[in-house]
Amino acid sequence: MKRTSIKNTRINGEVQKELSRIISREIKDPRIHAMTSVTQVMVTPDLKECKAYISVLGDEQAQADTLEGLKSASGYIRRELARSINLRNTPEITFYIDQSIEYAINMSKKIDDVMSKQNSDSDE
């Protein structure tokens, strides 16, 4: 298992914060859903590549449209990232949809359903 250094962790956090700001405030693409958040960023140690995990509150069509809009705006996002963060190299950003929040909500709902069923069975 590969450990990330403290420097790389700080870079990930700073890139995540700036990506969130750029996506929410500066991009005017109508395909990008208003409830889009950056959940995780992983920058390689050589600062050449960056994986950005995006969470979109909406249906699958909204997620696909947002991903397409972010891919088309990746050059602008990279340029704004280079202006705001002083790094040796500005990483090439690849966007991925993060399904973990949706999965957690779904699992929580299933657990609540099972618990309510058990409570109703014990009452009888």
Side-chain angles (χ1 to χ4, degrees):
M1 185 167 106
K2 187 169 90 171
R3 286 186 49 186
T4 57
S5 67
I6 294 172
K7 177 184 171 188
N8 203 4
T9 304
R10 281 189 302 188
I11 290 172
N12 288 343
E14 191 65 27
V15 170
Q16 180 176 356
K17 185 172 75 171
E18 286 300 316
L19 274 179
S20 295
R21 183 188 61 79
I22 292 168
I23 289 171
S24 66
R25 296 190 185 130
E26 296 185 16
I27 296 180
K28 304 293 188 238
D29 193 334
R31 294 177 290 183
I32 298 175
H33 196 271
M35 295 298 291
T36 301
S37 60
V38 181
T39 57
Q40 184 180 12
V41 170
M42 294 174 15
V43 180
T44 58
D46 63 354
L47 304 176
K48 298 284 185 187
E49 297 176 8
C50 171
K51 292 181 181 178
Y53 293 92
I54 306 297
S55 176
V56 179
L57 186 65
D59 59 351
E60 290 184 20
Q61 184 62 39
Q63 292 177 354
D65 290 345
T66 300
L67 194 59
E68 191 64 35
L70 288 173
K71 284 181 181 178
S72 69
S74 64
Y76 173 78
I77 293 170
R78 186 175 182 199
R79 185 176 70 230
E80 290 300 314
L81 193 62
R83 286 183 184 165
S84 61
I85 299 177
N86 185 18
L87 293 174
R88 185 173 359 115
N89 297 320
T90 304
E92 188 70 37
I93 304 167
T94 308
F95 293 101
Y96 298 97
I97 293 292
D98 185 11
Q99 302 286 347
S100 64
I101 296 172
E102 185 178 327
Y103 177 77
I105 291 170
N106 190 21
M107 290 305 289
S108 177
K109 188 176 179 182
K110 288 181 179 181
I111 290 170
D112 290 343
D113 290 344
V114 168
M115 293 301 289
S116 66
K117 185 177 182 199
Q118 281 183 345
N119 289 340
S120 66
D121 288 346
S122 65
D123 289 344
E124 291 176 359

